[in-house]
Amino acid sequence: METRAQRDGPAQPEGPPLDAAIAAGRVPGAAWRSLVAVVLVAMTAIGAAGLTDDAWPFAPFRMFAHAVKPDGRVTKVDFVGTTASGEELRLDALAFGLRRAEVEGQQGPGGRLTHEQMADLVATYNAANPSDPLVALEFRRLGKDLVDGEPVSSFTETIQEWPATEGRP
């Protein structure tokens, strides 16, 4: 006995073939894909105009969303800690469970952190490293001077120390 599939051959889709639909300017799913594209472009435009880093990918990361002048300075911050055993450690914000942008965003007048913020950073590090805790912490600005977009010199500036040393900020 012959089955229907054997008798009629392979099933044909109802309506015009896909190539004919495309040739006629009707692309299946084009309407919803276009709607998604319009929404994404609109969200990106709104984000660029006024949202914060928390709305990424619809808002730019502010620390990357500006041009560097060809003549000027490019800077970043880091720390140098001194442990109870006397070892000096170069530390970045990750050593304290933070991102560099989080530290830079907390800087106040003169690029300084408050005494309490510095003490909190030391306490956070010491909680994770109790065998050789920090006894001093130096907050620094590192960078390069640029001329015509090329680095011509490097610099390191101490912004502040914790605990504050006599005669120093």
Side-chain angles (χ1 to χ4, degrees):
M1 189 168 216
E2 187 175 56
T3 66
R4 181 175 180 200
Q6 291 170 334
R7 183 181 66 237
D8 296 340
Q12 294 293 322
E14 292 188 26
L18 184 59
D19 290 340
I22 293 171
R26 294 183 317 268
V27 179
W32 72 265
R33 286 195 303 266
S34 295
L35 178 64
V36 168
V38 167
V39 169
L40 289 175
V41 169
M43 289 297 297
T44 302
I46 291 167
L51 296 179
T52 65
D53 292 350
D54 295 331
W56 190 86
F58 300 112
F61 277 122
R62 299 289 177 214
M63 67 184 282
F64 299 118
H66 59 84
V68 174
K69 295 178 183 174
D71 297 321
R73 285 189 154 182
V74 177
T75 63
K76 73 173 195 168
V77 297
D78 81 346
F79 299 89
V80 172
T82 304
T83 65
S85 67
E87 184 180 2
E88 259 194 20
L89 304 172
R90 183 171 175 209
L91 305 167
D92 63 10
L94 293 174
F96 307 104
L98 300 170
R99 296 177 301 181
R100 189 178 91 207
E102 292 174 306
V103 173
E104 290 174 349
Q106 295 297 314
Q107 290 178 274
R112 298 169 54 88
L113 299 174
T114 65
H115 179 76
E116 292 78 20
Q117 288 170 319
M118 291 287 284
D120 287 345
L121 293 173
V122 170
T124 299
Y125 181 88
N126 290 346
N129 301 281
S131 62
D132 196 13
L134 292 178
V135 295
L137 185 64
E138 183 180 331
F139 185 41
R140 306 183 315 167
R141 180 180 299 120
L142 310 173
K144 297 190 183 292
D145 291 311
L146 303 176
V147 174
D148 294 329
E150 297 294 323
V152 294
S153 64
S154 298
F155 63 89
T156 301
E157 301 170 343
T158 298
I159 300 171
Q160 72 190 97
E161 294 178 352
W162 182 93
T165 326
E166 291 298 318
R168 297 221 33 175

